[in-house]
Amino acid sequence: QLQAYGGGLVQAGGSLTLSCAASGRSFSSYHMGWFRQAPGKERSFVAVIIDTGTSTSYTDSVKGRFTISRDNAKNTMYLQMNGLQPEDTAIYYCAAGRLFDTRSVSYAYWGQGTKVTVSS
C-alpha cells in the first residue's frame, strides 16, 4: 500500500516536497515512480527511481527543478520540487513497479494522490 502526501498551495517559484510512504517489507525491491495528472489531461510520467536508488530518470519539463529520492530503510520515496510553475499544478501519484519505466502501465501499485496547486 502506498500513501502520497505533502501537496499543497504554493506560489510560482516556490518549493514543495512530496513523500510516498509504503507499507510492507518489499519496498526496496520495487522501482518507484511519480506521475501527475493535470486538470483535463491524462496522467503523465514525472520521475522514476530504481530500487537501489542509484539511478533516476525525469521527464524533460522537470529536469533541473525536481529531484526524486528514496530511503529504503524508511520505506519512503520523495519528490523535491523547486521552481514550481503553474503548469506543475496537478494531482501527483506515486507508484511501485518491477520495471524501471516511464509508462504507467508498468506500475502495479498506486497511491491515492496528493494535490499540488501553483499560483501565478
Side-chain angles (χ1 to χ4, degrees):
Q1 187 174 3
L2 302 175
Q3 184 172 5
Y5 57 96
L9 174 63
V10 63
Q11 289 187 333
S15 298
L16 278 175
T17 298
L18 305 183
S19 299
C20 176
S23 59
R25 300 182 222 177
S26 58
F27 175 79
S28 61
S29 67
Y30 284 90
H31 308 315
M32 299 294 297
W34 286 101
F35 291 77
R36 65 186 178 185
Q37 187 166 17
K41 295 187 177 181
E42 294 186 351
R43 190 174 300 186
S44 63
F45 168 75
V46 176
V48 59
I49 187 166
I50 205 168
D51 52 2
T52 59
T54 56
S55 184
T56 60
S57 181
Y58 299 88
T59 191
D60 286 346
S61 63
V62 308
K63 285 180 181 177
R65 300 189 298 124
F66 290 11
T67 302
I68 188 171
S69 62
R70 65 190 295 163
D71 185 339
N72 286 346
K74 295 182 178 180
N75 281 10
T76 304
M77 173 181 64
Y78 307 95
L79 186 68
Q80 173 67 44
M81 305 185 294
N82 299 325
L84 283 162
Q85 299 300 317
E87 53 266 34
D88 295 316
T89 294
I91 298 175
Y92 284 71
Y93 298 88
C94 59
R98 296 294 191 180
L99 295 178
F100 184 70
D101 200 358
T102 64
R103 299 170 300 170
S104 60
V105 294
S106 295
Y107 294 82
Y109 304 100
W110 291 83
Q112 84 288 359
T114 185
K115 187 174 183 180
V116 173
T117 303
V118 184
S119 63
S120 57

